[in-house]
Amino acid sequence: MSAGEGVLHSEFASKDESAALFQIWIHPNQKGGKTLYNQSDFRDVTKSNQWITLVSPDGRDHSIAIKQEAFIATTELEEGKTISLAASSSNRGKLVLIVEGKIEVDGVTLEARDEVQITESKAYELKALKPSW
């Protein structure tokens, strides 16, 4: 959702069901403009050992378009598999968040709900020490 010229926003959880989610806020690259709202269901998209783009500036690969030069991608890694994380440009960073599982990146072990912020302009390999996403 992008508030654009202004949106009154409210949300609440059901009293009958539990919810687990990540709410991510990314500042837009422009003020005002058209209000945007979109959602997609990526549950049926094959994510096995490959990156899938969920959010992008231009909606590429059926992702959700946002008003920022930012990307959100996901993967599901099988135990023992590795995946490359491309180098960032010098003015960009990356955040790796492990939802479930256990991975190793640059000698550091990350488990469920751990994250690492990468600010160096180099590529990394992520290795699943157990099934991870």
Side-chain angles (χ1 to χ4, degrees):
M1 176 174 74
S2 177
E5 295 294 328
V7 167
L8 179 60
H9 175 68
S10 175
E11 58 188 77
F12 59 91
S14 168
K15 293 179 182 179
D16 300 326
E17 297 179 37
S18 63
L21 59 95
F22 294 99
Q23 192 168 58
I24 302 167
W25 295 80
I26 299 173
H27 289 276
N29 59 9
Q30 58 184 295
K31 283 190 168 193
K34 181 181 172 190
T35 301
L36 299 175
Y37 175 82
N38 199 343
Q39 65 182 31
S40 292
D41 185 345
F42 294 98
R43 287 179 289 188
D44 293 333
V45 176
T46 301
K47 297 174 267 309
S48 182
N49 304 312
Q50 63 181 337
W51 290 114
I52 301 299
T53 303
L54 304 177
V55 173
S56 69
D58 55 12
R60 68 186 67 177
D61 302 324
H62 308 290
S63 63
I64 298 171
I66 62 170
K67 296 177 184 177
Q68 186 53 272
E69 290 296 317
F71 295 84
I72 298 176
T74 189
T75 186
E76 293 176 0
L77 286 178
E78 298 169 18
E79 184 172 345
K81 296 288 185 174
T82 61
I83 192 166
S84 295
L85 187 62
S88 297
S89 60
S90 61
N91 63 341
R92 301 269 187 238
K94 295 186 189 276
L95 178 107
V96 177
L97 169 70
I98 310 308
V99 177
E100 295 292 338
K102 185 176 182 179
I103 69 157
E104 181 180 82
V105 57
D106 205 31
V108 176
T109 300
L110 302 171
E111 298 189 56
R113 304 308 197 255
D114 285 346
E115 68 178 48
V116 64
Q117 296 181 26
I118 298 173
T119 57
E120 298 172 325
S121 298
K122 72 177 205 177
Y124 289 88
E125 292 290 317
L126 280 63
K127 180 179 181 180
L129 303 177
K130 62 185 198 180
S132 302
W133 67 282

